Amino acid sequence: MVHRSAGADNATYRLLLHHMRLDPAQVTKVVGPDAVWVTVMRRPVDQFISMFEYYNLQDVWNMSLAEFAAAPTDLLPATAFASHFFPNQMSFDLGYDVAALQADDQLQEAMLEDVQRRFHLVMITDLLDESLVLMRYRFCLDWDDVVAFRHNVRPPSLRSAAAHNLTLRRQLRHHLAADGALYSHFHRLLREALRRRGVTTGRRGAITSQQITCRLAVERELRAQSVVVGLEPGR
């Protein structure tokens, strides 16, 4: 929930960027009814493994990641760690009742419709460069506005073998069904939007943020020499 002082004195806020559990009514009080809404989603199994290991949840829930994955749903921890870390984290952060979602496919469909209606863009971390390109076009931004740098990403040497355990991943997908529905739906919508824009995915597809950064550096130098260059995906 947004603290009530955040919207005091009729202040106008141009940007609210925060990791929080969403309460749309409270956020709207701060940003107004005409705000543009953007969120980011990550592959649920990878997100959960990362969270489990980063916060040492094996010590909180007294079970290893493998034990958690193999446990029947009714034996999983019933309480969230620190009130906000729990399976189906994305659904929880978006303000939904995770326990109800897991047991009802119709509620999951209603959630997908609600999120799609509320958010103007749902980005995907696995397609982050492509998501940034789409953001640039959709919101009429400059290339400078969508340059991004990797930060706080664990190197492969620090990632556990759990991330590559196919049996464990399959078991976790069962426990993360609500987030799986979210991710699959918006991953598909993002790919469709990219195809309509003529932006392909993959190593040789969309222009990457690193390429944008390099080209911008060149462009600034050429501008100083009164030379104009273009910057388009795929070139």
Side-chain angles (χ1 to χ4, degrees):
M1 180 178 292
V2 178
H3 193 278
R4 65 180 58 192
S5 63
D9 302 322
N10 296 318
T12 299
Y13 292 84
R14 301 295 300 275
L15 182 68
L16 174 62
L17 178 63
H18 194 47
H19 187 185
M20 58 185 168
R21 190 170 193 212
L22 180 63
D23 183 330
Q26 293 296 323
V27 173
T28 299
K29 289 180 181 179
V30 177
V31 299
D34 299 323
V36 172
W37 292 62
V38 178
T39 191
V40 182
M41 294 183 182
R42 183 180 180 185
R43 195 183 303 273
V45 171
D46 293 332
Q47 189 269 346
F48 183 76
I49 291 174
S50 177
M51 181 179 72
F52 195 98
E53 295 177 347
Y54 185 84
Y55 291 105
N56 296 312
L57 295 184
Q58 68 274 6
D59 297 330
V60 176
W61 291 332
N62 295 316
M63 57 172 56
S64 68
L65 180 60
E67 291 170 334
F68 180 99
T73 302
D74 58 352
L75 294 182
L76 293 180
T79 56
F81 168 56
S83 299
H84 55 267
F85 294 116
F86 203 62
N88 294 290
Q89 185 69 45
M90 293 187 294
S91 302
F92 180 85
D93 283 346
L94 287 167
Y96 298 98
D97 182 337
V98 171
L101 285 171
Q102 283 287 94
D104 193 327
D105 291 343
Q106 290 185 337
L107 283 180
Q108 289 184 21
E109 288 297 323
M111 172 183 65
L112 299 180
E113 294 174 3
D114 187 42
V115 174
Q116 187 171 338
R117 182 170 55 250
R118 184 175 307 283
F119 285 88
H120 299 81
L121 176 63
V122 176
M123 304 170 70
I124 300 293
T125 57
D126 308 308
L127 298 171
L128 187 58
D129 290 329
E130 293 88 343
S131 295
L132 290 169
V133 170
L134 186 60
M135 174 186 277
R136 187 262 184 182
Y137 284 124
R138 185 163 293 181
F139 302 137
C140 301
L141 302 174
D142 292 327
W143 285 113
D144 299 80
D145 299 324
V146 297
V147 172
F149 299 92
R150 290 184 177 274
H151 179 65
N152 239 14
V153 178
R154 289 187 300 171
S157 60
L158 295 181
R159 297 175 189 173
S160 73
H164 307 290
N165 185 319
L166 298 182
T167 299
L168 182 142
R169 294 182 70 88
R170 175 179 52 78
Q171 293 170 328
L172 284 177
R173 281 196 294 271
H174 172 73
H175 295 317
L176 304 174
D179 274 7
L182 269 175
Y183 179 85
S184 297
H185 180 76
F186 288 100
H187 187 276
R188 176 179 58 81
L189 290 183
L190 179 67
R191 283 188 174 276
E192 291 175 356
L194 289 168
R195 281 196 294 269
R196 288 195 297 272
R197 277 286 180 185
V199 179
T200 56
T201 57
R203 182 175 298 179
R204 293 190 172 184
I207 189 169
T208 67
S209 56
Q210 291 83 3
Q211 289 172 314
I212 294 171
T213 303
C214 293
R215 286 296 298 271
L216 284 172
V218 173
E219 185 174 342
R220 292 189 187 100
E221 180 65 26
L222 292 176
R223 274 207 199 106
Q225 303 174 29
S226 300
V227 178
V228 179
V229 298
L231 182 60
E232 292 296 334
R235 293 187 181 180

